[in-house]
Amino acid sequence: MRIFQGDKVSIKSWCQEPEEEVLAQARDLAALPFVFKHVCLMPDAHSGYGMPIGGVAALKDVVIPNAVGVDIGCGMSCARTSLRDLDTKTLKSIMSMIRKRIPVGFDHHKKDQPWELFAKAPDIPVVREELSSARRQLGTLGGGNHFMEIQKGSDGFIWIMVHSGSRNFGYKIARDFNRKAQKLNRERYPFMKQYQGEGGLAFLPKGSLEFSQYIEGMTYALKFAYRNRELMIERIEESFREVIPCEFGGIINIHHNYAAEEIHFGEKVWVHRKGATSAKKGEIGIVPGSQGTASYIVRGLGNPESFESCSHGAGRTLSRGQARKILDLKSEQQRLDEQGILHSIRGRRDLDEASSAYKNIQTVMREQSDLVEIVIELKPMGVVKG
């Protein structure tokens, strides 16, 4: 861990060489009057809207929508199968079934998906406005870095894994409350740094209607994201059973974009984890790699200095545009083909999700060896992306 000086508090970085833009964003956080103790950068840290992705900040009596992120509840889920091996033909058949059952990219289901909590949606305008489309987004993957993988575990079993969040539903909630936070800050706190657009660190103070509504809306989006991943896991399991007899263990299902009221260093604070995973002592988590590299099931060590957190993945080193411009398509395809991975790098537009656009996951795991311990290593066999 490295320590950088901030204005009000220090920045504790498990990322050994954070980019200047990441440090600048962390210093903005460290200058806030309500920031608590210190700001954390996980080893996968890279720049985001307002707050770095791979950042952790504990705040007193406020929440910052951009410190949660626009994909509220984005996270990971996985489950172990009873299978110990899959031949290529069977793997291809299963992946074909998965694609038929689960829409990816901008695609949604053609029919509303059942979920008992649709009937219990909070009475918040942006939530109500998005409910109709959310009913068809449930159980869909999305695009970007979201993925479904079939993996071989170091425990000898085949695993399934999903990375997705609250889809456009969570994005609309996040964007709406970031705008409300900016308006509230202009009206009540004109002496503080002001923000416009989708970036910045506009905040909602405890006691305000906007604070209460954001917490309620965020919590609902977290439940939606949880069920979204759970439903995809269930349909992946259906796809397996249609091709080959097998059983499945319980689902591990976690968020890595959220805020939660927790007690740290003896005080109650709102811990914002944006691209960061809870790693309380003994807590099971998931740290995914990039396409073509290993992912890990981990056990938290409860390190108080990180607010009991760890990284959420490998973290980008190239922007999407840079990756498409710089990386060599044939080399990236060959790297995956030589590992026998059924992958999603088919053209130049897919290079933004090539493994070379991300940090080395093994380096990331070494840099956070005081935050988590590895339980199972999972190597990709087949990847479905949007």
Side-chain angles (χ1 to χ4, degrees), residues 211-231:
F211 176 97
S212 300
Q213 287 187 332
Y214 176 75
I215 295 301
E216 189 176 12
M218 178 196 70
T219 301
Y220 188 71
L222 291 175
K223 293 176 181 177
F224 178 90
Y226 186 97
R227 179 55 187 157
N228 185 44
R229 290 188 295 273
E230 186 178 56
L231 184 56

Side-chain angles (χ1 to χ4, degrees), residues 171-382:
Y171 169 73
K172 289 293 183 64
I173 294 170
R175 190 177 67 171
D176 182 67
F177 278 95
N178 183 51
R179 285 198 298 258
K180 288 179 177 177
Q182 290 174 353
K183 181 175 183 292
L184 187 149
N185 290 179
R186 287 194 299 271
E187 294 171 350
R188 296 193 191 179
Y189 310 97
F191 53 89
M192 293 188 65
K193 184 176 180 179
Q194 299 298 313
Y195 299 98
Q196 294 180 341
E198 290 193 319
L201 297 171
F203 62 94
L204 300 170
K206 186 177 180 180
S208 66
L209 174 63
E210 293 88 347
F211 176 97
S212 300
Q213 287 187 332
Y214 176 75
I215 295 301
E216 189 176 12
M218 178 196 70
T219 301
Y220 188 71
L222 291 175
K223 293 176 181 177
F224 178 90
Y226 186 97
R227 179 55 187 157
N228 185 44
R229 290 188 295 273
E230 186 178 56
L231 184 56
M232 283 187 277
I233 288 285
E234 290 171 3
R235 289 176 176 166
I236 293 171
E237 291 176 355
E238 292 171 4
S239 300
F240 265 78
R241 292 191 178 105
E242 191 166 333
V243 176
I244 187 171
C246 66
E247 300 298 325
F248 293 85
I251 298 175
I252 303 169
N253 199 342
I254 62 164
H255 303 303
H256 53 227
N257 275 11
Y258 66 104
E261 193 173 38
E262 300 175 357
I263 295 175
H264 292 274
F265 300 99
E267 296 195 41
K268 190 177 289 186
V269 290
W270 281 95
V271 177
H272 294 61
R273 295 185 177 94
K274 182 181 183 180
T277 301
S278 179
K280 297 176 176 64
K281 189 171 180 62
E283 186 175 22
I284 297 298
I286 304 168
V287 180
S290 54
Q291 186 168 197
T293 66
S295 298
Y296 297 91
I297 295 174
V298 299
R299 183 182 294 110
L301 299 178
N303 190 326
E305 296 302 314
S306 69
F307 297 108
E308 299 180 311
S309 309
C310 71
S311 82
H312 84 309
R316 300 192 71 90
T317 56
L318 296 175
S319 70
R320 297 189 180 281
Q322 287 173 326
R324 290 171 179 151
K325 183 179 180 180
I326 295 171
L327 299 181
D328 180 71
L329 177 61
K330 289 185 178 179
S331 297
E332 296 301 324
Q333 291 174 325
Q334 184 178 356
R335 182 180 293 111
L336 296 169
D337 291 340
E338 288 175 351
Q339 296 179 68
I341 298 170
L342 301 181
H343 59 83
S344 300
I345 306 294
R346 297 185 176 87
R348 291 208 63 82
R349 65 185 180 87
D350 302 318
L351 287 173
D352 59 344
E353 286 301 313
S355 58
S356 296
Y358 285 82
K359 297 182 181 182
N360 185 313
I361 187 63
Q362 294 177 341
T363 300
V364 168
M365 297 310 293
R366 282 197 303 271
E367 290 180 348
Q368 61 182 343
S369 60
D370 59 337
L371 306 182
V372 291
E373 60 182 357
I374 295 171
V375 178
I376 300 172
E377 182 182 64
L378 301 166
K379 293 186 176 180
M381 301 174 67

Side-chain angles (χ1 to χ4, degrees), residues 129-201:
E129 289 166 9
E130 295 302 318
L131 270 182
S132 179
S133 57
R135 294 177 188 275
R136 299 194 176 192
Q137 292 170 20
L138 189 68
T140 67
L141 183 68
N145 63 351
H146 294 164
F147 67 82
M148 296 176 283
E149 276 192 6
I150 299 171
Q151 304 160 325
K152 181 63 179 288
S154 58
D155 61 348
F157 290 95
I158 303 297
W159 287 71
I160 56 177
M161 181 176 286
V162 171
H163 174 209
S164 191
S166 53
R167 306 292 280 108
N168 193 54
F169 187 48
Y171 169 73
K172 289 293 183 64
I173 294 170
R175 190 177 67 171
D176 182 67
F177 278 95
N178 183 51
R179 285 198 298 258
K180 288 179 177 177
Q182 290 174 353
K183 181 175 183 292
L184 187 149
N185 290 179
R186 287 194 299 271
E187 294 171 350
R188 296 193 191 179
Y189 310 97
F191 53 89
M192 293 188 65
K193 184 176 180 179
Q194 299 298 313
Y195 299 98
Q196 294 180 341
E198 290 193 319
L201 297 171

Side-chain angles (χ1 to χ4, degrees), residues 34-50:
F34 38 73
V35 69
F36 176 73
K37 213 69 177 175
H38 53 263
V39 172
C40 299
L41 294 175
M42 298 295 99
D44 60 337
H46 54 290
S47 62
Y49 288 128

